[in-house]
Amino acid sequence: LAKQKEVHGGSRRTYEWPRPAVTVDIAIFTVLESDGGAELQVLLVERDLAPFAGAWALPGGFVHENEDLSAAAARELLEETGVREGYLEQVGAVGTPGRDPRGHTVTVLYAALLPPDKHVLRATGDARSAQWHALTKLPELAFDHSALLEAALSHVRRSLGRNGACFALLPDHFTLTELQTVCEVVLGRPLDRRNFRRKLEEGAFLSEVKGEMRTGRHRPAQVYQLIRKRFEAHAQREGAIPF
Amino acid sequence: LAKQKEVHGGSRRTYEWPRPAVTVDIAIFTVLESDGGAELQVLLVERDLAPFAGAWALPGGFVHENEDLSAAAARELLEETGVREGYLEQVGAVGTPGRDPRGHTVTVLYAALLPPDKHVLRATGDARSAQWHALTKLPELAFDHSALLEAALSHVRRSLGRNGACFALLPDHFTLTELQTVCEVVLGRPLDRRNFRRKLEEGAFLSEVKGEMRTGRHRPAQVYQLIRKRFEAHAQREGAIPF
DNA sequence: TCAAAAGTGTTTATTCTACACCCATGA
DNA sequence: TCATGGGTGTAGAATAAACACTTTTGA
């Protein structure tokens, strides 16, 4: 293990000790139809090495030399899903001793949000046994990943209205009902349809996609897209959409 | 530098690369009287080694083997201020390549809040040239610490009403005016006195400290203390004090 | 008696919440 | 024609914001 001299910060002392390993773990969320209703899902990979062989875990790996943390997270996202650009936010760092039985490991946790239409690309990565799991039916998770997932989830809940997080869970074109469903699923509680729409109107960061409509056997819905510039201006003024 | 085998997460590959170093940096805030008004201050240490010798920096240092991140932050806080228990919150991790010219370093940033009566203990640490600096009169900072400080500050602003952060900036006994001043200084904007007090009353997590009063040459103020249990109950119900 | 900060209520504007009905479509 | 989800407005409640005067003390 590495030894090093302390020359950091304001310290005048000299220390030597082994370095902890630095990893990135990533909770990749999406909203999918799952037996009847839309459900929030997280991408898990099955471990085939000890410790926790056979258990499910969040995708993750070591940070490369001179690689930015967000770049490492983006790399993991790409490897697992084939998605090159996704919504990515840092949740925080965890380095509790003993969290990895192999040694002292500090992990930086990220949360990612994917639209459902990107899922086809999933096999593009290196063919690991990655699978979507509904949050309501989670298997046992390896390491402290259960706590990490919990933290990532509450982070996502808090940031739903910020940074356009909710739009990251939808394709470019979407109906207001789809948007509301996604929000309800993430927040885990129902929202009032009219109040929801009013807030969006006030923000004025959606534009109707002309002509396009989608259909069931009922009245078709208007399709919208996000005007990113307007949204950012709105977010600057108001902070967030107050779902 | 350390080499390692990749056996983390769900990966089946084997990698080898040097590990980044892991440090903790800490932005320690307090509110002090400074030429006339109360001002938010941050504790900086003067570097005496290259790089950035002579420049000011946030206190920080390497994370020890099998040391928790928050423990490392608490250790830094103790070393710099002599304070054994302080309000401490993680802001996030930063690992941009090149942020430390000596090599790839990931730092986990913490924010700490101290009451003004703890300052006497400052020299207890290892006698470094640590000094309080008003945020309005900052010197040039080493590394990317200017950005770190910015991040820590906005984190503290967001969490003022959560977790009793504002109370961490005051002694156990305080007047409502002191509390309001501290909030105003951190937020950087004035607050309405009556509305401020109403919110505190509604929360019902303060108790009057009987008999005690403090004084200038004007009417004395009632002294209060925080009832931590009640505050936590309130925070659970309401989320935070809505300053 | 005066300066200086402490303390206290009410009114208004804004925001949030709850709620019910008509519309367009495909089967 | 009917079942299904799409679309719209309003009234009451709760919350937030603005605002001025009286009190107590020490000098």
Side-chain angles (χ1 to χ4, degrees):
Chain A
L1 288 174
K3 302 285 176 177
Q4 67 203 358
K5 285 196 155 189
E6 159 65 290
V7 286
H8 180 83
S11 175
R12 280 170 187 152
R13 294 202 206 143
T14 296
Y15 303 106
E16 294 199 349
W17 59 76
R19 295 180 170 187
V22 181
T23 63
V24 161
D25 287 315
I26 177 166
I28 308 172
F29 294 104
T30 197
V31 174
L32 289 180
E33 287 301 317
S34 152
D35 52 40
E39 277 201 88
L40 187 59
Q41 316 255 338
V42 63
L43 192 71
L44 299 176
V45 295
E46 199 171 7
R47 291 183 55 80
D48 49 15
L49 294 176
F52 299 100
W56 293 90
L58 296 174
F62 289 97
V63 174
H64 291 190
E65 190 177 11
N66 290 318
E67 182 184 41
D68 197 3
L69 294 170
S70 60
R75 176 172 52 76
E76 286 298 329
L77 179 63
L78 177 64
E79 284 175 11
E80 298 299 337
T81 65
V83 173
R84 193 164 291 277
E85 304 214 331
Y87 182 93
L88 211 53
E89 260 191 38
Q90 190 191 110
V91 177
V94 178
T96 318
R99 58 177 296 277
D100 187 325
R102 292 162 297 180
H104 190 192
T105 302
V106 171
T107 197
V108 182
L109 177 62
Y110 278 80
L113 303 177
L114 285 192
D117 57 346
K118 293 282 173 65
H119 294 163
V120 288
L121 302 173
R122 170 154 63 88
T124 309
D126 39 333
R128 305 176 195 179
S129 51
Q131 270 186 20
W132 293 109
H133 290 256
L135 282 175
T136 51
K137 295 172 214 145
L138 283 179
E140 287 274 302
L141 296 193
F143 304 103
D144 56 354
H145 287 196
S146 181
L148 297 189
L149 179 52
E150 201 59 47
L153 179 60
S154 50
H155 182 93
V156 166
R157 281 196 177 134
R158 276 193 302 272
S159 62
L160 236 209
R162 265 189 269 285
N163 301 95
C166 51
F167 304 107
L169 289 162
L170 292 171
D172 278 1
H173 291 182
F174 52 85
T175 66
L176 296 185
T177 302
E178 286 170 331
L179 182 56
Q180 182 177 343
T181 300
V182 154
C183 291
E184 289 176 330
V185 163
V186 172
L187 295 175
R189 65 184 160 88
L191 300 171
D192 184 280
R193 188 148 43 114
R194 288 172 252 231
N195 298 334
F196 183 81
R197 288 170 183 232
R198 190 178 0 259
K199 284 168 193 164
L200 294 173
E201 275 174 38
E202 283 166 5
F205 43 74
L206 293 183
S207 80
E208 301 188 354
V209 175
K210 170 185 141 194
E212 286 199 87
M213 301 220 158
R214 296 199 269 182
T215 175
R217 84 168 197 262
H218 50 75
R219 177 173 177 176
Q222 178 60 251
V223 178
Y224 292 85
Q225 65 185 339
L226 180 65
I227 310 170
R228 236 158 246 290
K229 280 189 166 181
R230 291 245 194 108
F231 180 79
E232 278 152 27
H234 172 85
Q236 195 121 34
R237 284 196 310 277
E238 311 285 323
I241 316 172
F243 292 141
Chain B
L1 288 172
K3 302 284 175 177
Q4 68 203 358
K5 283 196 159 191
E6 159 66 290
V7 285
H8 181 82
S11 175
R12 281 170 187 154
R13 295 203 207 142
T14 296
Y15 302 107
E16 294 200 347
W17 59 75
R19 295 180 170 186
V22 181
T23 63
V24 160
D25 287 316
I26 176 166
I28 307 172
F29 295 104
T30 196
V31 174
L32 290 179
E33 286 301 317
S34 151
D35 52 39
E39 277 200 88
L40 187 59
Q41 317 255 339
V42 63
L43 192 71
L44 299 177
V45 295
E46 198 169 8
R47 290 182 55 79
D48 50 14
L49 294 177
F52 299 101
W56 294 90
L58 296 175
F62 289 96
V63 174
H64 291 190
E65 190 176 11
N66 290 320
E67 182 183 42
D68 197 4
L69 294 170
S70 60
R75 176 171 52 77
E76 287 296 329
L77 179 62
L78 177 63
E79 284 175 11
E80 297 299 337
T81 66
V83 173
R84 194 164 290 280
E85 303 214 334
Y87 182 93
L88 211 53
E89 260 191 38
Q90 191 191 110
V91 178
V94 178
T96 318
R99 60 176 295 275
D100 186 327
R102 292 162 298 180
H104 190 193
T105 302
V106 171
T107 198
V108 182
L109 177 62
Y110 278 79
L113 302 178
L114 285 193
D117 58 347
K118 294 282 172 67
H119 294 164
V120 288
L121 303 174
R122 170 154 63 89
T124 309
D126 39 333
R128 304 174 194 179
S129 51
Q131 270 187 20
W132 293 108
H133 290 257
L135 282 174
T136 52
K137 296 171 213 146
L138 283 178
E140 287 275 302
L141 296 192
F143 305 103
D144 56 355
H145 286 196
S146 181
L148 297 189
L149 179 52
E150 200 60 46
L153 179 59
S154 48
H155 182 93
V156 167
R157 282 196 177 134
R158 276 192 303 271
S159 62
L160 235 209
R162 264 188 270 284
N163 301 95
C166 52
F167 304 107
L169 289 162
L170 291 171
D172 278 1
H173 292 183
F174 51 86
T175 66
L176 297 185
T177 302
E178 286 169 331
L179 181 56
Q180 182 177 344
T181 300
V182 154
C183 291
E184 288 176 331
V185 163
V186 172
L187 295 174
R189 66 184 159 88
L191 299 171
D192 183 279
R193 189 146 42 113
R194 286 172 259 225
N195 296 336
F196 183 82
R197 287 168 185 236
R198 187 177 3 257
K199 283 167 193 166
L200 294 173
E201 274 174 39
E202 282 166 6
F205 43 75
L206 293 183
S207 80
E208 301 188 355
V209 175
K210 170 183 142 195
E212 286 198 86
M213 302 221 158
R214 296 201 268 183
T215 175
R217 84 168 198 262
H218 50 74
R219 176 173 178 175
Q222 177 60 251
V223 178
Y224 292 86
Q225 64 185 342
L226 180 65
I227 309 170
R228 234 158 249 291
K229 280 189 166 183
R230 291 246 194 106
F231 180 79
E232 278 151 28
H234 172 84
Q236 196 121 31
R237 284 195 309 277
E238 312 285 323
I241 315 172
F243 292 140

